[in-house]
Amino acid sequence: MSPDLPRPAPAAFVAPSRPPRTFVRGEGASLWDASGRRFVDLGASHGVGNLGISHPAVVQAIQRQAAELLYLSTGYDTPVRTEFLERLTSLLPPSLDRVFLSNSGTESVEAAIKFARAATGRAKVVAAMRGFHGRTMGSLSATWRKEFREGFEPLVPGFVHVPYNDVDALRAAVDDTTALVLLEPVQGEGGVHPATPEFLAEARRRTEETGALLALDEVQTGLGRTGRLFAFERWGVVPDLLTLAKSLAGGVPIGATVTTEAVQARFHGSHHSTFGGSPLACAAGVAALDVTVRERLAERADRLGTAARERLARLPPEKVREVRGLGLLIGIEMRERVAPHLLRLEEKGFLALPAGPTVLRLIPPLVIPEDDLRAGLEAIEEVVGNG
Ligand SMILES: Cc1ncc(COP(=O)(O)O)c(C=O)c1O
């Protein structure tokens, strides 16, 4: 390009469908745009913000850690990483005591797939229709929706999908060539569908019968979101692999693949992440876990979520097919496309998310002030009622 021609403004590689709104500051569940207008974030930045934006305990931990030891090769140890691993595993069933740290949800799923293949010597992965597990090639192969997969095929071979909550289909699909069954306890992106107790129980039983491993993807449901610290606690099903990310470090990029000593002992392969488990992420993670436990955010999510769903169940049935979810992961399935409703909510100062074309998804910060949540529900009633 000639030096005297003006350069076009830089743009994100994958542009959103409309010009995005710009925000300059955030606190708790509030975001402010450049004009000073406040918005309430009912989507917690796709579930990252369980603790809200810039939680003071996380900010303080990051500041302290950055000044002390910002990064360190994963080949060395540092007290803050040990502290984080101890804190995380102390909240999990005793069998889940081996942790691989990375930087995102998709990486945590990639690691689960690799660990399962290498530990079992098998290739087949059974996932669910409507499931979402990320967008890198392995996790994308487990992700169901055509829009996410289109243009990238061939994906990784060996993946099959069964209808979610179909016990017989799951039973038939899992056999002695299966390395891994990979499921979300509540499908988030796929429309907010909780698993039935029978489905997860069968996933556990059938994987044990066939020598396959069971991974639960709690990237979206973990850390209090569904009214339990980990959603699987509701079903009493303990997986062999658990994937976590999003809110685990209070907004600092992190991914964790938690597994058992037995899986680790059978894993003869190589896997690594340069930035995984950085001191900065671990310090933020310790602070985030402390706040989550100390402030009983899972119980709060349960209480607020139950009340919100009861209220939303009174939305007009000619507009709304079903309201479902657990804790503060709520899906409002509409009888029409949800995009115009989301736009009208945004005009009123409330940011919510879709989960597919007809589901309005609410995943607010677990610390959202009750007044803000109430105002958000009122706005939804107006928008859906009058839309
Ligand atoms: C259940 C689940 N797994 C994996 C991912 C991928 O996480 P990331 O976007 O951090 O790669 C997501 C993201 O929404 C998710 O909801």
Side-chain angles (χ1 to χ4, degrees), residues 136-150:
T136 51
M137 292 305 270
S139 64
L140 183 61
S141 307
T143 289
W144 167 251
R145 263 200 12 230
K146 191 167 116 249
E147 304 91 283
F148 299 143
R149 299 165 64 97
E150 238 167 26

Side-chain angles (χ1 to χ4, degrees), residues 46 103-109 132-135 139 184 186 188-189 217-221 243 245-246 254 361:
H46 287 260
N103 312 285
S104 65
T106 199
E107 280 175 83
S108 71
V109 173
F132 185 87
H133 299 283
R135 296 171 189 258
S139 64
E184 295 160 271
V186 182
E189 299 293 321
D217 181 348
E218 295 233 26
V219 165
Q220 188 156 152
T221 55
T243 57
K246 288 206 191 277
I254 192 167
R361 182 171 33 149

